[in-house]
Amino acid sequence: MKRRFSTLNTLMIAAGLVAAPSAIAKGFDVRTLTNLDSIHSSAVSPDGSALVYGFKQVNNGKSVSNLYLKSLNSKTNDKQLTNNATTEHSVVFSPDNKSVYFLSSRSGSSQVWQLPLTGGEAMQVTDLPLNVDGFKLSGDGKHIVLTMAVFNECSDLKCSKDKFAQIANKPNAGKVYNQLMVRHWDTWNDGSYKHLFVGGLNGKVITQVTDVTQGLATDIPAKPFSGMEEVSFTPDNQAIVYSAKAPSKDQAMHTNFDLWQVKLDGKDRVNLTEKNKAWDAHPTFSPDGRYMAYAAMSKPGAESDRFAIMLKDLVTGTVKEVAPLWDRSVRQMAFAPDSRNLIVTAQDLGQVSLFMINIQFGDIKQIHSDGSAGIVGVADKDIVISKKALNNPGQLYKVSFDGGHIEQLTDINKEKLKDVDFGQFSQFSFKGWNDETVYGYWVKPAGFKAGQKYPMAFLIHGGPQGSFGNSWSTRWNPQLWAGAGYGVVMIDFHGSTGYGQEFTDSINQDWGGKPLEDLQKGMAAVTKQQPWLDGNNACALGASYGGYMVNWIAGNWSDQFKCLVNHAGLFDMRMFYNVTEELWFPSTDFGGSYEAVSKNYEKFNPVNYVENWKTPMLVIHGEKDFRVPYGQGLAAFTVLQSKNIDSQLIVFPKENHWILNNDNKVQWYDAVLNWMNKYTR
């Protein structure tokens, strides 16, 4: 049968009736992806003259990472700073520009190190019993704030170290809980919390630090989404401001992160944003010390509300919103040297764009909008950014304040990608639900030939408050389907981010309504606009909410696709609510808990429509996925098997909501493409 199919397919390809399959010589593939180099940590010197970045080089599955120094004022070659078997990360400059600090495990545990730029070996700064997870330096270079995981009942670090050792020595012991959250993302709660510690920088190795969060069982935002951007020294270097939750029995039910200020000795702790019961984050101080900018949501319990830019005048104490009519959610922000303008990033129509906003008048100027930008630092009248795109794995650039000049600073992967034929891509739009404009992207297959029809990979993003925009991913990467000969379509349906808060909020209590209509109308529109896309020879794929939508499609749009791929998808909303960890998420999206508004959950519950299932489905799940636990995937597979629908289940024992291990990424893409080829070739 296989030989007959292969012969028939070859004849059809030769006749030009179908596109050639994945044997495209220059198409991007997963093995190339997992062998790419990357920049993983970068910082601009305070005087704006230099850039330091971490460069991870990969060769045949083995990697080496070192720090490099680049002049921003001359064309000299980049200078390698380190040559150690361990990885240096979280790099920052000293306030005097003469050295860099970083985290490294070269001493056996994660500690802070300092490397003078004038020459010499790296010197260990901290020698503490526990791993240092992050750090920041004070503006005068006299203090350092560290984050470490400790136990609230412990009075010193040794106590916490001993408790961690006791837990590690009894891996099979029962875990006892009296309140939520019992686990998060991929880790069971072991009773420890992220605390902040302050130490003095006086040239000696730090062995003693002060816990400035002792006595308050707070937990600063942690993996996989936040870091030391939530912590800042005050302009006088006498206190720190950080974002954290106060202790409560309902940690799993709310997102009320507040900004707290505490002196360096741990005294005089105060909640700066107590009045706001929603999320406050990213405390950022102006160079002149006059202002503190921060991001704030306004809807309690929400995680996808608009992050507004708030500004506190530290002289008068007044607080105002900057650019209140700007309907975008700020991601990052940094003050310009004049202390009168903020440089921010925000999702905007499929890009992550760079903006300049005047703090007095709220005037907004778009600086750069091509790809996905991240702020590295400010260098005089330029901004150093990282940038990715659908055909760019990531480089560092320097952009002028007016956006008129952009200079590429790095060129990693040039040799590795010189023969790769990335698929051409473009944004498109159409009239979706309620005739409102909806955007998406299509990507042509590598080796595209006009006049041929190509099978379609119809990718559905997760979130659901997310976006499949002009960016690069090491997980769901459209170019990997394009490299295998597929045309790729991605639609930012109602509920997606970057199109205004009303558009994002429109998915609430309507998970299977507006988004499905957008996907259906988007499929019709893009196949009409781009006739080379074969909508009758398509497979739909999605993860998380995208996997939910695949399950929803199986019961509500079952005739459109030849096959489906469901990664970590929600299958039964009742079961999901009672086993996920961040309960604020479904409570916000569905208008309350399952017990309170069960009808909202059941209205768009895929399990209620399994009688309509008939499309072959590949189900994939990580066993350590605590966001959408693997029972959801197992239940979907059970239904498929009981209905004799062609199906396959792949479970990754060590993966969480994402597939992160490179060998597993290879297995994942091989399995997915084989599944799709089975039905579309």
Side-chain angles (χ1 to χ4, degrees), residues 9 24 50 65 74 140 154 178 192 202 253 257 266 332 343 373 401 417-418 429 493 503 539 546 554 577 590 614 619:
N9 210 35
I24 300 171
S65 178
S74 65
D140 58 8
C154 284
N178 297 307
S192 66
N202 54 16
M253 298 300 301
F257 286 91
Q332 295 174 285
I343 301 160
F401 278 4
L417 296 176
K418 66 179 181 180
S429 65
F493 45 80
F503 190 89
C539 291
Y577 180 86
F590 288 89
K614 60 183 180 182
V619 182

PDB file of all heavy atoms in Angstrom, residues 9 24 50 65 74 140 154 178 192 202 253 257 266 332 343 373 401 417-418 429 493 503 539 546 554 577 590 614 619:
ATOM      1  N   ASN A   9       1.873   9.240  -5.857  1.00  0.00           N
ATOM      2  CA  ASN A   9       2.221  10.601  -5.457  1.00  0.00           C
ATOM      3  C   ASN A   9       3.332  11.157  -6.336  1.00  0.00           C
ATOM      4  O   ASN A   9       3.311  12.321  -6.736  1.00  0.00           O
ATOM      5  CB  ASN A   9       2.655  10.611  -3.992  1.00  0.00           C
ATOM      6  CG  ASN A   9       2.331  11.921  -3.308  1.00  0.00           C
ATOM      7  OD1 ASN A   9       1.317  12.521  -3.608  1.00  0.00           O
ATOM      8  ND2 ASN A   9       3.189  12.341  -2.395  1.00  0.00           N
ATOM      9  N   ILE A  24      12.638  19.191   0.362  1.00  0.00           N
ATOM     10  CA  ILE A  24      13.082  20.445  -0.243  1.00  0.00           C
ATOM     11  C   ILE A  24      14.466  20.753   0.306  1.00  0.00           C
ATOM     12  O   ILE A  24      14.639  20.924   1.509  1.00  0.00           O
ATOM     13  CB  ILE A  24      12.094  21.580   0.081  1.00  0.00           C
ATOM     14  CG1 ILE A  24      10.708  21.222  -0.477  1.00  0.00           C
ATOM     15  CG2 ILE A  24      12.574  22.898  -0.473  1.00  0.00           C
ATOM     16  CD1 ILE A  24       9.619  22.175  -0.030  1.00  0.00           C
ATOM     17  N   ALA A  50      29.234  50.706  25.492  1.00  0.00           N
ATOM     18  CA  ALA A  50      29.543  49.297  25.256  1.00  0.00           C
ATOM     19  C   ALA A  50      28.329  48.418  25.518  1.00  0.00           C
ATOM     20  O   ALA A  50      27.377  48.795  26.219  1.00  0.00           O
ATOM     21  CB  ALA A  50      30.706  48.858  26.142  1.00  0.00           C
ATOM     22  N   SER A  65      28.937  28.435  26.048  1.00  0.00           N
ATOM     23  CA  SER A  65      28.434  29.795  26.154  1.00  0.00           C
ATOM     24  C   SER A  65      29.464  30.684  26.827  1.00  0.00           C
ATOM     25  O   SER A  65      30.060  30.302  27.843  1.00  0.00           O
ATOM     26  CB  SER A  65      27.132  29.812  26.962  1.00  0.00           C
ATOM     27  OG  SER A  65      26.657  31.127  27.121  1.00  0.00           O
ATOM     28  N   SER A  74      32.520  52.269  18.030  1.00  0.00           N
ATOM     29  CA  SER A  74      33.557  51.995  17.030  1.00  0.00           C
ATOM     30  C   SER A  74      33.253  50.676  16.346  1.00  0.00           C
ATOM     31  O   SER A  74      32.372  49.921  16.759  1.00  0.00           O
ATOM     32  CB  SER A  74      34.940  51.944  17.684  1.00  0.00           C
ATOM     33  OG  SER A  74      35.034  50.852  18.586  1.00  0.00           O
ATOM     34  N   ASP A 140      24.638  53.260  43.146  1.00  0.00           N
ATOM     35  CA  ASP A 140      25.947  53.719  43.614  1.00  0.00           C
ATOM     36  C   ASP A 140      26.961  52.589  43.719  1.00  0.00           C
ATOM     37  O   ASP A 140      28.112  52.810  44.125  1.00  0.00           O
ATOM     38  CB  ASP A 140      25.809  54.430  44.964  1.00  0.00           C
ATOM     39  CG  ASP A 140      25.190  53.538  46.043  1.00  0.00           C
ATOM     40  OD1 ASP A 140      25.014  52.326  45.794  1.00  0.00           O
ATOM     41  OD2 ASP A 140      24.867  54.058  47.128  1.00  0.00           O
ATOM     42  N   CYS A 154      12.381  29.552  58.397  1.00  0.00           N
ATOM     43  CA  CYS A 154      13.824  29.531  58.666  1.00  0.00           C
ATOM     44  C   CYS A 154      14.352  30.936  58.957  1.00  0.00           C
ATOM     45  O   CYS A 154      13.965  31.901  58.294  1.00  0.00           O
ATOM     46  CB  CYS A 154      14.587  28.942  57.488  1.00  0.00           C
ATOM     47  SG  CYS A 154      14.460  27.140  57.386  1.00  0.00           S
ATOM     48  N   ASN A 178      -2.477  22.370  52.963  1.00  0.00           N
ATOM     49  CA  ASN A 178      -3.656  22.876  53.642  1.00  0.00           C
ATOM     50  C   ASN A 178      -4.321  24.021  52.887  1.00  0.00           C
ATOM     51  O   ASN A 178      -5.337  24.550  53.333  1.00  0.00           O
ATOM     52  CB  ASN A 178      -3.296  23.338  55.060  1.00  0.00           C
ATOM     53  CG  ASN A 178      -2.805  22.191  55.918  1.00  0.00           C
ATOM     54  OD1 ASN A 178      -3.479  21.164  56.031  1.00  0.00           O
ATOM     55  ND2 ASN A 178      -1.633  22.340  56.511  1.00  0.00           N
ATOM     56  N   SER A 192       8.653  26.420  49.950  1.00  0.00           N
ATOM     57  CA  SER A 192       9.609  27.527  49.863  1.00  0.00           C
ATOM     58  C   SER A 192       9.011  28.681  49.071  1.00  0.00           C
ATOM     59  O   SER A 192       8.060  28.506  48.311  1.00  0.00           O
ATOM     60  CB  SER A 192      10.911  27.070  49.206  1.00  0.00           C
ATOM     61  OG  SER A 192      10.694  26.714  47.846  1.00  0.00           O
ATOM     62  N   ASN A 202      31.680  45.529  49.064  1.00  0.00           N
ATOM     63  CA  ASN A 202      32.849  46.226  49.610  1.00  0.00           C
ATOM     64  C   ASN A 202      34.167  45.574  49.228  1.00  0.00           C
ATOM     65  O   ASN A 202      35.195  45.795  49.869  1.00  0.00           O
ATOM     66  CB  ASN A 202      32.740  46.303  51.133  1.00  0.00           C
ATOM     67  CG  ASN A 202      32.535  44.927  51.773  1.00  0.00           C
ATOM     68  OD1 ASN A 202      32.755  43.896  51.132  1.00  0.00           O
ATOM     69  ND2 ASN A 202      32.098  44.912  53.016  1.00  0.00           N
ATOM     70  N   MET A 253      -6.485  32.317  43.419  1.00  0.00           N
ATOM     71  CA  MET A 253      -7.704  32.925  42.900  1.00  0.00           C
ATOM     72  C   MET A 253      -7.521  34.353  42.402  1.00  0.00           C
ATOM     73  O   MET A 253      -8.425  34.896  41.767  1.00  0.00           O
ATOM     74  CB  MET A 253      -8.782  32.921  43.989  1.00  0.00           C
ATOM     75  CG  MET A 253      -9.183  31.536  44.463  1.00  0.00           C
ATOM     76  SD  MET A 253      -9.840  30.493  43.137  1.00  0.00           S
ATOM     77  CE  MET A 253     -11.234  31.475  42.604  1.00  0.00           C
ATOM     78  N   PHE A 257      -0.833  41.353  42.579  1.00  0.00           N
ATOM     79  CA  PHE A 257       0.567  41.667  42.862  1.00  0.00           C
ATOM     80  C   PHE A 257       0.653  43.170  43.135  1.00  0.00           C
ATOM     81  O   PHE A 257       0.152  43.981  42.356  1.00  0.00           O
ATOM     82  CB  PHE A 257       1.461  41.302  41.679  1.00  0.00           C
ATOM     83  CG  PHE A 257       1.690  39.831  41.516  1.00  0.00           C
ATOM     84  CD1 PHE A 257       0.857  39.066  40.711  1.00  0.00           C
ATOM     85  CD2 PHE A 257       2.738  39.190  42.163  1.00  0.00           C
ATOM     86  CE1 PHE A 257       1.053  37.708  40.556  1.00  0.00           C
ATOM     87  CE2 PHE A 257       2.942  37.827  42.014  1.00  0.00           C
ATOM     88  CZ  PHE A 257       2.110  37.088  41.212  1.00  0.00           C
ATOM     89  N   GLY A 266      15.603  45.912  55.790  1.00  0.00           N
ATOM     90  CA  GLY A 266      14.375  45.151  55.967  1.00  0.00           C
ATOM     91  C   GLY A 266      13.304  45.861  56.758  1.00  0.00           C
ATOM     92  O   GLY A 266      12.233  45.294  56.995  1.00  0.00           O
ATOM     93  N   GLN A 332       7.550  46.278  28.275  1.00  0.00           N
ATOM     94  CA  GLN A 332       8.781  46.738  28.911  1.00  0.00           C
ATOM     95  C   GLN A 332       8.791  48.252  28.894  1.00  0.00           C
ATOM     96  O   GLN A 332       8.143  48.877  28.048  1.00  0.00           O
ATOM     97  CB  GLN A 332      10.018  46.254  28.148  1.00  0.00           C
ATOM     98  CG  GLN A 332      10.257  44.767  28.121  1.00  0.00           C
ATOM     99  CD  GLN A 332      11.436  44.457  27.202  1.00  0.00           C
ATOM    100  OE1 GLN A 332      11.311  44.513  25.988  1.00  0.00           O
ATOM    101  NE2 GLN A 332      12.580  44.145  27.782  1.00  0.00           N
ATOM    102  N   ILE A 343      10.604  54.909  27.012  1.00  0.00           N
ATOM    103  CA  ILE A 343      10.760  54.005  25.878  1.00  0.00           C
ATOM    104  C   ILE A 343      10.078  52.700  26.269  1.00  0.00           C
ATOM    105  O   ILE A 343      10.397  52.115  27.313  1.00  0.00           O
ATOM    106  CB  ILE A 343      12.241  53.767  25.553  1.00  0.00           C
ATOM    107  CG1 ILE A 343      12.927  55.094  25.227  1.00  0.00           C
ATOM    108  CG2 ILE A 343      12.391  52.783  24.398  1.00  0.00           C
ATOM    109  CD1 ILE A 343      14.430  55.047  25.374  1.00  0.00           C
ATOM    110  N   ALA A 373      10.339  43.188  19.166  1.00  0.00           N
ATOM    111  CA  ALA A 373      11.459  43.913  19.769  1.00  0.00           C
ATOM    112  C   ALA A 373      11.439  43.796  21.286  1.00  0.00           C
ATOM    113  O   ALA A 373      10.381  43.734  21.912  1.00  0.00           O
ATOM    114  CB  ALA A 373      11.412  45.383  19.363  1.00  0.00           C
ATOM    115  N   PHE A 401      16.529  57.273  18.371  1.00  0.00           N
ATOM    116  CA  PHE A 401      15.303  57.681  19.041  1.00  0.00           C
ATOM    117  C   PHE A 401      14.184  58.028  18.052  1.00  0.00           C
ATOM    118  O   PHE A 401      13.004  57.821  18.338  1.00  0.00           O
ATOM    119  CB  PHE A 401      15.562  58.892  19.937  1.00  0.00           C
ATOM    120  CG  PHE A 401      16.139  58.530  21.284  1.00  0.00           C
ATOM    121  CD1 PHE A 401      16.469  57.224  21.595  1.00  0.00           C
ATOM    122  CD2 PHE A 401      16.348  59.499  22.246  1.00  0.00           C
ATOM    123  CE1 PHE A 401      17.000  56.880  22.832  1.00  0.00           C
ATOM    124  CE2 PHE A 401      16.868  59.177  23.490  1.00  0.00           C
ATOM    125  CZ  PHE A 401      17.205  57.865  23.785  1.00  0.00           C
ATOM    126  N   LEU A 417      22.675  29.386   8.496  1.00  0.00           N
ATOM    127  CA  LEU A 417      21.432  29.639   7.762  1.00  0.00           C
ATOM    128  C   LEU A 417      21.667  30.119   6.336  1.00  0.00           C
ATOM    129  O   LEU A 417      20.699  30.462   5.646  1.00  0.00           O
ATOM    130  CB  LEU A 417      20.592  30.679   8.515  1.00  0.00           C
ATOM    131  CG  LEU A 417      20.082  30.262   9.898  1.00  0.00           C
ATOM    132  CD1 LEU A 417      19.358  31.428  10.568  1.00  0.00           C
ATOM    133  CD2 LEU A 417      19.164  29.055   9.807  1.00  0.00           C
ATOM    134  N   LYS A 418      22.919  30.128   5.887  1.00  0.00           N
ATOM    135  CA  LYS A 418      23.207  30.709   4.576  1.00  0.00           C
ATOM    136  C   LYS A 418      22.529  29.973   3.431  1.00  0.00           C
ATOM    137  O   LYS A 418      22.227  30.583   2.390  1.00  0.00           O
ATOM    138  CB  LYS A 418      24.717  30.770   4.342  1.00  0.00           C
ATOM    139  CG  LYS A 418      25.402  29.412   4.243  1.00  0.00           C
ATOM    140  CD  LYS A 418      26.897  29.566   3.993  1.00  0.00           C
ATOM    141  CE  LYS A 418      27.580  28.209   3.857  1.00  0.00           C
ATOM    142  NZ  LYS A 418      29.044  28.359   3.603  1.00  0.00           N
ATOM    143  N   SER A 429      -5.589  40.471   6.187  1.00  0.00           N
ATOM    144  CA  SER A 429      -6.726  40.819   7.033  1.00  0.00           C
ATOM    145  C   SER A 429      -8.024  40.415   6.335  1.00  0.00           C
ATOM    146  O   SER A 429      -8.063  40.198   5.118  1.00  0.00           O
ATOM    147  CB  SER A 429      -6.734  42.317   7.358  1.00  0.00           C
ATOM    148  OG  SER A 429      -6.923  43.086   6.183  1.00  0.00           O
ATOM    149  N   PHE A 493      -7.419  35.552  16.110  1.00  0.00           N
ATOM    150  CA  PHE A 493      -8.865  35.619  16.297  1.00  0.00           C
ATOM    151  C   PHE A 493      -9.229  36.555  17.458  1.00  0.00           C
ATOM    152  O   PHE A 493      -8.367  37.002  18.221  1.00  0.00           O
ATOM    153  CB  PHE A 493      -9.398  34.215  16.569  1.00  0.00           C
ATOM    154  CG  PHE A 493      -8.563  33.442  17.570  1.00  0.00           C
ATOM    155  CD1 PHE A 493      -8.694  33.662  18.934  1.00  0.00           C
ATOM    156  CD2 PHE A 493      -7.617  32.522  17.136  1.00  0.00           C
ATOM    157  CE1 PHE A 493      -7.922  32.970  19.844  1.00  0.00           C
ATOM    158  CE2 PHE A 493      -6.832  31.821  18.054  1.00  0.00           C
ATOM    159  CZ  PHE A 493      -6.982  32.048  19.408  1.00  0.00           C
ATOM    160  N   PHE A 503     -10.902  44.013  22.022  1.00  0.00           N
ATOM    161  CA  PHE A 503     -10.722  42.842  21.166  1.00  0.00           C
ATOM    162  C   PHE A 503     -10.260  41.646  22.003  1.00  0.00           C
ATOM    163  O   PHE A 503     -10.754  40.527  21.844  1.00  0.00           O
ATOM    164  CB  PHE A 503      -9.701  43.162  20.068  1.00  0.00           C
ATOM    165  CG  PHE A 503      -9.606  42.129  18.980  1.00  0.00           C
ATOM    166  CD1 PHE A 503     -10.419  42.204  17.861  1.00  0.00           C
ATOM    167  CD2 PHE A 503      -8.687  41.093  19.067  1.00  0.00           C
ATOM    168  CE1 PHE A 503     -10.327  41.255  16.842  1.00  0.00           C
ATOM    169  CE2 PHE A 503      -8.579  40.143  18.059  1.00  0.00           C
ATOM    170  CZ  PHE A 503      -9.409  40.225  16.942  1.00  0.00           C
ATOM    171  N   CYS A 539      -4.560  20.538   7.580  1.00  0.00           N
ATOM    172  CA  CYS A 539      -4.607  20.009   8.940  1.00  0.00           C
ATOM    173  C   CYS A 539      -4.565  21.188   9.910  1.00  0.00           C
ATOM    174  O   CYS A 539      -3.850  22.168   9.672  1.00  0.00           O
ATOM    175  CB  CYS A 539      -3.432  19.075   9.229  1.00  0.00           C
ATOM    176  SG  CYS A 539      -3.489  17.516   8.320  1.00  0.00           S
ATOM    177  N   GLY A 546      -5.019  26.590  21.855  1.00  0.00           N
ATOM    178  CA  GLY A 546      -5.033  26.105  20.476  1.00  0.00           C
ATOM    179  C   GLY A 546      -5.415  24.644  20.408  1.00  0.00           C
ATOM    180  O   GLY A 546      -6.125  24.206  19.497  1.00  0.00           O
ATOM    181  N   ALA A 554     -13.042  19.584  16.282  1.00  0.00           N
ATOM    182  CA  ALA A 554     -13.401  18.181  16.037  1.00  0.00           C
ATOM    183  C   ALA A 554     -14.900  17.951  16.197  1.00  0.00           C
ATOM    184  O   ALA A 554     -15.486  17.106  15.509  1.00  0.00           O
ATOM    185  CB  ALA A 554     -12.620  17.278  16.988  1.00  0.00           C
ATOM    186  N   TYR A 577     -10.994  22.900  35.245  1.00  0.00           N
ATOM    187  CA  TYR A 577     -11.071  23.893  36.319  1.00  0.00           C
ATOM    188  C   TYR A 577     -10.583  23.311  37.645  1.00  0.00           C
ATOM    189  O   TYR A 577      -9.913  23.986  38.430  1.00  0.00           O
ATOM    190  CB  TYR A 577     -12.497  24.415  36.484  1.00  0.00           C
ATOM    191  CG  TYR A 577     -12.598  25.442  37.588  1.00  0.00           C
ATOM    192  CD1 TYR A 577     -12.339  26.785  37.333  1.00  0.00           C
ATOM    193  CD2 TYR A 577     -12.899  25.065  38.895  1.00  0.00           C
ATOM    194  CE1 TYR A 577     -12.385  27.728  38.350  1.00  0.00           C
ATOM    195  CE2 TYR A 577     -12.949  25.995  39.914  1.00  0.00           C
ATOM    196  CZ  TYR A 577     -12.684  27.327  39.645  1.00  0.00           C
ATOM    197  OH  TYR A 577     -12.722  28.256  40.652  1.00  0.00           O
ATOM    198  N   PHE A 590     -14.354  32.813  32.261  1.00  0.00           N
ATOM    199  CA  PHE A 590     -15.696  32.226  32.210  1.00  0.00           C
ATOM    200  C   PHE A 590     -16.674  32.883  33.177  1.00  0.00           C
ATOM    201  O   PHE A 590     -17.814  32.447  33.300  1.00  0.00           O
ATOM    202  CB  PHE A 590     -15.614  30.721  32.473  1.00  0.00           C
ATOM    203  CG  PHE A 590     -15.024  29.959  31.323  1.00  0.00           C
ATOM    204  CD1 PHE A 590     -13.656  29.757  31.240  1.00  0.00           C
ATOM    205  CD2 PHE A 590     -15.822  29.480  30.303  1.00  0.00           C
ATOM    206  CE1 PHE A 590     -13.099  29.082  30.167  1.00  0.00           C
ATOM    207  CE2 PHE A 590     -15.277  28.801  29.230  1.00  0.00           C
ATOM    208  CZ  PHE A 590     -13.907  28.601  29.152  1.00  0.00           C
ATOM    209  N   LYS A 614     -14.841  12.817  14.202  1.00  0.00           N
ATOM    210  CA  LYS A 614     -14.555  11.811  13.182  1.00  0.00           C
ATOM    211  C   LYS A 614     -13.198  12.035  12.511  1.00  0.00           C
ATOM    212  O   LYS A 614     -12.730  11.179  11.757  1.00  0.00           O
ATOM    213  CB  LYS A 614     -15.651  11.819  12.118  1.00  0.00           C
ATOM    214  CG  LYS A 614     -15.830  13.147  11.376  1.00  0.00           C
ATOM    215  CD  LYS A 614     -16.984  13.068  10.392  1.00  0.00           C
ATOM    216  CE  LYS A 614     -17.180  14.384   9.647  1.00  0.00           C
ATOM    217  NZ  LYS A 614     -18.336  14.316   8.709  1.00  0.00           N
ATOM    218  N   VAL A 619      -2.590  13.351  19.482  1.00  0.00           N
ATOM    219  CA  VAL A 619      -2.659  13.992  20.795  1.00  0.00           C
ATOM    220  C   VAL A 619      -1.281  13.918  21.448  1.00  0.00           C
ATOM    221  O   VAL A 619      -0.682  12.838  21.524  1.00  0.00           O
ATOM    222  CB  VAL A 619      -3.708  13.305  21.691  1.00  0.00           C
ATOM    223  CG1 VAL A 619      -3.799  14.014  23.043  1.00  0.00           C
ATOM    224  CG2 VAL A 619      -5.069  13.278  21.002  1.00  0.00           C
TER     225      VAL A 619
END
